[in-house]
Structure formats: C-alpha cells, structure tokens
Amino acid sequence: MSLAGSAPTAIYFTSLHLSPVLLQIGPFALRWYSLAYIAGILLGWFYLIRLLAENGAPMTREHADGLVTWVTAGILIGGRLAYVLFYDLGAYLAHPLNVLRLWEGGMSFHGGALGVAIAIIVYARRHRVDWLRIIDYVAMCAPIGLFLGRLANFVNGELWGRPTGLPWGMVFPGAGPLPRHPSQLYEAVLEGPVLFVLLWCLFRFTSARHRPGLLCGAFVLGYGLFRFLVEFVREPDQQLVAFAAATGLHMGQWLCVPMILGGAGLTFWACRQKSTAPQPSAT
C-alpha cells in the first residue's frame, strides 16, 4: 500500500483537538511551550533537591536554590542564541528584535546545554564548589525538561517526521496529506523516561555519583545517540532542507556528533578516575 493510499486511515492531528494555547485572555496567551520550560525547571529543581539529600552531595540546598536562577538564564540565553546562529540566522538578521520573541518557540537544546554548563561553572567558582560534580547532578534532572519540551513540540504540531505507512503515522496540518512519523513523541520517550531511568540506575546502583563527569558524560552520550538516530525519521527544518541534502545529515545530527564523541570521552575518562566516595575510617 502506498503512503498516499494509507493517508485516509492514518491518525489526523486535528482529531486530537490539541491547541498550543492553554489560556487566552485578550492579547495574553498562556502557551504549552512556555509552560513546558517552566514546569521542566521547577520539577528539575525539586528532583535536584531530593538527589542532594543523598550522602556525598556536592552542594547544599541553599546552593541549589541559588543555582536555579543561573541555570534558567543559561537555558534561555544559550538555547535561543544557538537556534538563531545554527537554524535561522538570515531571518533574524533581517528582523533582529524577533530574537526576543521566545514565546513563539525556536530553542536549541545544544545551545541550552552549553549555556547551562557555563552558568554552572561560573556559579561553582563563585561559591567554591566542585563544578563537574554539580553538572553531574543537574544532568540527572535534564530528561524531565526534555520530555516536557518534546510533548510541547507535539502539541504545537511542529517538528514532524518523514512520511510513513506505519499504523501510527499522523497527518499534521501544514505537512501535506501524507501520514508522518510523530518523531516528537519518539524523542520525548527516548530523551525523557528512557534517559532518566538509565541515569537513575547509574546513580542508584553504581559508583557513578562519586566519579566526577560520569553522569554528565552518560547523559551527553545518551542524548546525542538518541537524537542522532531519531533525526533519520524526522524532516529537517524547512529552512535547512538544502543543507541536509548537501551534507547528508540534518543540522541536529551534525550538532550531535561532538556530543557523542565528547560524552563518550568524558565517560571513559571519569571511569578511570579515583572515586570521591568517603572511605570508611579504620578502627
């Protein structure tokens, strides 16, 4: 059966009755995309506090309360600037003030991750705490925000996948009549619950928390691999179709290559380092 022939039996996005706007009061609109960022930061903060209650934590609750502001700034500034630079620079050069229109979407995880790392390093140096171990703990929380962000992408009906004949293929408005992979949901599951459980198992059942860089390396490696693979069934951004055709890979995949290599290298390096776990005193 052809894809075109299978379209009438596909799932139609409009049948789900989803709207990117949760609440509209006059010119004010409360969007799911914005709520995903707010909820991701708050839930990540609460989870971080629970992790810090375990023995051998790298910072105090007070440090975590102060750090959340720095991390939020790193996410917003890094994520937005990277999207502008790598995904749609021409459009923003033509209309520079549109860079501030965050509520319309347009964020890069790669840039947000770099922004968070820089924010943590600066904060840790100011407060004389171990920045690499803090990044480990913050990496544990990142899958929560990634999961919610991908769900928001799905609600927005954006970042859809390539045409497919699979039973769960979905016809998205603006993407033509063919059913497509709901790649937003693939990424939500892999970058969210799957990555969360993998990191939790490392934290709970191994000495990873006491080997600075190991949890961060595992997160970066896992995200890079999952994102790289899902991109094969995802359509490239409209303004980067020619780039993908010319290079053979999507922009997101190219940005994942250094993450995969760096994550693997950091994980290997951390495994070879001496554990920071407190040693039992001799009796």
Side-chain angles (χ1 to χ4, degrees), residues 1-71:
M1 180 183 294
S2 67
L3 292 178
S6 66
T9 60
I11 302 170
Y12 282 79
F13 182 82
T14 52
S15 70
L16 302 179
H17 305 292
L18 299 175
S19 171
V21 178
L22 172 63
L23 180 65
Q24 179 94 40
I25 303 177
F28 173 78
L30 183 60
R31 299 178 180 273
W32 287 109
Y33 191 79
S34 301
L35 284 177
Y37 274 85
I38 295 171
I41 291 170
L42 290 177
L43 291 175
W45 178 33
F46 295 149
Y47 183 48
L48 176 62
I49 291 173
R50 289 182 62 90
L51 294 176
L52 293 177
E54 303 281 346
N55 292 332
M59 61 180 176
T60 65
R61 163 67 187 272
E62 289 71 24
H63 285 134
D65 293 344
L67 181 63
V68 68
T69 302
W70 289 71
V71 167

Side-chain angles (χ1 to χ4, degrees), residues 170-194:
M170 187 166 292
V171 179
F172 290 94
L178 298 179
R180 295 176 176 274
H181 286 284
S183 54
Q184 316 96 320
L185 299 183
Y186 301 168
E187 291 191 64
V189 171
L190 291 173
E191 299 168 7
V194 173

Side-chain angles (χ1 to χ4, degrees), residues 86-152:
F86 292 111
Y87 287 90
D88 212 359
L89 181 59
Y92 287 103
L93 287 176
H95 303 283
L97 291 181
N98 285 353
V99 173
L100 303 177
R101 300 172 71 89
L102 295 175
W103 57 89
E104 294 181 351
M107 296 285 284
S108 164
F109 168 78
H110 303 87
L114 181 60
V116 168
I118 293 172
I120 290 174
I121 291 172
V122 174
Y123 181 86
R125 291 188 179 278
R126 286 170 60 97
H127 293 269
R128 298 182 179 181
V129 289
D130 188 336
W131 64 270
L132 188 52
R133 292 200 65 219
I134 292 176
I135 289 179
D136 279 342
Y137 275 63
V138 172
M140 292 281 296
C141 309
I144 299 172
L146 287 170
F147 175 69
L148 295 175
R150 292 308 181 193
L151 290 184

